Amino acid sequence: MKSQFVTIASHEFRTPLGTILSSASLIGRYSKTEEEDKRQKHVQRIKSAVTNLTEILNDFLSIGKLEEGRVQSIPVEVNLPEFCKGLIEEIKGLCKDDQQIHFQYNGKSDVWLDKQLLRNVLFNLLSNAIKYSEAGKSIFLRIAAGDKLVSIEIEDQGIGIPETDQAHIFDRFFRAHNAGNVQGTGLGLNIVQNYIDLMKGEVSFSSKVGQGTTFHINLPNYLPIQTKD
Ligand code: ADP
């Protein structure tokens, strides 16, 4: 795991660090007031590159914690539509030009879920939907929340996952052969699967190369049993 980290980190850190360096140098050169647009474009690039680096580090930390058995699901009451809107605001910065996340919500607003685990699951799946689809394509986040079950769907119109790779998609470090030079470590979906198991939920997907991918998640809307000390 550690030697894999060194290999992947050396490789995957290079691109975002290169982006940060070149954007910072360009910002330094745009000194005129009318160059504000260009400055903002490069500020945005720096922000995405830093988010990307943070993601890679977070993924490694999450895997480490999972291996040590230090992650558990602790459901709390959460206003799910508000929670998702906040997350979408945060993730918008990663979107390509004209890529939009459409959010549809049905059912109960207040549900019982572990916020940290859910946040990670949605962040990983939405950032994959963004990474593996082109500018201009839509992404859908659909949620239906009932008394017992929360169903989540994340759909993209991206490159899709080749059929021969589909069986391995949740394996640690696995990347499909059409991932090309899209940045990634192959850890995200392994973490998603582990977190969903901890939440006693289920995850599946359907995908067609060149058409897109949809991830389906079912999570129990779990009200913790009150115990006496
Ligand atoms: P990565 O860091 O490589 O994105 P993940 O574990 O999140 O790692 O995903 C594993 C692999 O599954 C990716 O490398 C990619 O080949 C494929 N994949 C995941 N999500 C999608 C998607 N929405 N569309 C197409 N391919 C995907």
Side-chain angles (χ1 to χ4, degrees), residues 179-191:
N181 47 17
V182 177
Q183 281 235 294
T185 58
L187 289 178
L189 288 183
N190 183 260
I191 294 169

Side-chain angles (χ1 to χ4, degrees), residues 12 56 59 124-133 154-156 158-162 165 168-180 182-192 207 212-215:
E12 292 300 315
I56 298 173
D59 281 355
N124 262 309
L125 294 177
L126 286 171
S127 64
N128 277 350
I130 295 169
K131 280 199 304 187
Y132 299 106
S133 55
I154 292 150
E155 182 187 327
D156 66 53
I159 62 171
I161 303 166
D165 289 331
H168 307 285
I169 216 71
F170 292 102
D171 296 352
R172 195 179 287 178
F173 296 118
F174 183 84
R175 304 202 71 207
H177 62 263
N178 63 342
V182 177
Q183 281 235 294
T185 58
L187 289 178
L189 288 183
N190 183 260
I191 294 169
V192 165
S207 185
T213 305
T214 305
F215 279 85

Side-chain angles (χ1 to χ4, degrees), residues 89-105:
E89 263 324 296
E90 220 181 294
I91 217 167
K92 260 186 189 164
L94 302 179
C95 284
K96 298 176 187 128
D97 291 342
D98 291 334
Q99 229 177 13
Q100 268 193 28
I101 303 176
H102 302 278
F103 179 42
Q104 293 162 12
Y105 196 95

Side-chain angles (χ1 to χ4, degrees), residues 37-106:
D37 276 3
K38 290 181 184 163
R39 263 195 299 276
Q40 283 312 319
K41 189 175 92 188
H42 288 284
V43 166
Q44 196 46 52
R45 283 203 185 148
I46 290 175
K47 285 189 185 163
S48 313
V50 171
T51 308
N52 198 341
L53 289 171
T54 314
E55 261 304 280
I56 298 173
L57 286 176
N58 282 343
D59 281 355
F60 275 97
L61 288 174
S62 305
I63 292 275
K65 273 193 181 174
L66 276 164
E67 282 199 336
E68 290 162 18
R70 288 199 287 132
V71 190
Q72 46 174 331
S73 169
I74 304 172
V76 293
E77 195 168 25
V78 44
N79 182 311
L80 195 53
E82 289 308 313
F83 180 86
C84 291
K85 280 179 203 154
L87 190 72
I88 290 170
E89 263 324 296
E90 220 181 294
I91 217 167
K92 260 186 189 164
L94 302 179
C95 284
K96 298 176 187 128
D97 291 342
D98 291 334
Q99 229 177 13
Q100 268 193 28
I101 303 176
H102 302 278
F103 179 42
Q104 293 162 12
Y105 196 95
N106 276 308

